[in-house]
């Protein structure tokens, strides 16, 4: 509408940093699934991935807070076809009903749908060293040697300790 190029910043960054790998994030469910939020279609996501691929973005973090296979699989497939590494996000929530087995099963699901890497994402920053001690091994055991990435917010001050323990655990 205003005659702006929405890709200009990315193109300038690419020009100035030709050797860097670029990563983008997309959320398939806007506003984290709250009432009246939009669900972005597979066609819309494919279009976005095509545009990112044209600009040499090599990795895409794919977020669906509800982990719905029918939304995730087409995006992972399109990313692979375009030569973009798809990173599936496993959202961490501290809840007594969500045990290690739950997270391991969801990690395996993301991998089976086409995620080439997995990101354990502690968006609320509540992951603790005690919790990570059993969680990381359980997730790793459910994967076929695909890389596991930890993304944590440090709202409790435990983020650095969680990261150190996660590294020690593989």
């Amino acid at each position: 509408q205003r005659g702006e190029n929405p890709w200009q910043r990315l193109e300038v960054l690419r020009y100035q940093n030709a050797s860097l790998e670029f990563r983008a994030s997309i959320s398939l469910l806007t506003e984290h699934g709250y009432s009246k939020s939009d669900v972005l279609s597979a066609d819309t996501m494919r279009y976005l991935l095509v545009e990112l691929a044209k600009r040499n973005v090599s990795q895409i973090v794919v977020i669906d807070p509800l982990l719905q296979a029918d939304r995730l699989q087409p995006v992972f497939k399109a990313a692979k076809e375009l030569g973009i590494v798809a990173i599936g996000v496993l959202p961490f929530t501290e809840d007594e009903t969500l045990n290690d087995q739950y997270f391991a099963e969801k990690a395996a699901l993301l991998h089976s749908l086409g995620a080439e890497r997995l990101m354990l994402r502690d968006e609320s920053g509540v992951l603790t060293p005690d919790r990570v001690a059993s969680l990381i091994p359980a997730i790793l055991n459910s994967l076929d040697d695909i890389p596991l990435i930890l993304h944590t917010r440090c709202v409790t001050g435990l983020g650095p300790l969680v990261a150190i323990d996660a590294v020690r655990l593989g």
Side-chain angles (χ1 to χ4, degrees), residues 19-86:
S19 64
L20 290 180
E21 284 194 76
F22 279 29
R23 176 187 291 175
S25 293
I26 56 173
S27 180
L28 305 184
L29 189 64
T30 63
E31 299 186 33
H32 301 286
Y34 291 111
S35 176
K36 299 181 184 175
S37 64
D38 292 329
V39 176
L40 300 176
S41 71
D43 289 341
T44 300
M45 289 296 95
R46 182 167 184 74
Y47 173 77
L48 177 59
L49 290 173
V50 166
E51 293 301 318
L52 291 171
K54 284 181 188 176
R55 289 156 183 89
N56 297 313
V57 171
S58 59
Q59 299 176 12
I60 189 75
V61 177
V62 183
I63 305 166
D64 182 345
L66 301 178
L67 297 173
Q68 290 212 256
D70 60 329
R71 281 198 296 259
L72 289 162
Q73 192 169 32
V75 177
F76 292 150
K77 181 181 179 197
K80 187 171 186 86
E81 289 170 357
L82 294 165
I84 299 173
V85 173

Side-chain angles (χ1 to χ4, degrees), residues 90 117-120 136 139-140 143 146-150 170:
L90 177 61
R117 297 182 186 171
L118 190 81
M119 178 182 288
L120 176 61
I136 296 293
I139 292 171
L140 289 174
L143 301 175
I146 69 167
L148 176 61
I149 302 162
L150 174 66

Side-chain angles (χ1 to χ4, degrees), residues 86-103:
I87 303 169
V89 169
L90 177 61
F92 177 78
T93 303
E94 187 57 63
D95 183 327
E96 60 192 39
T97 64
L98 305 180
N99 58 21
D100 291 346
Q101 181 180 348
Y102 167 86
F103 287 104

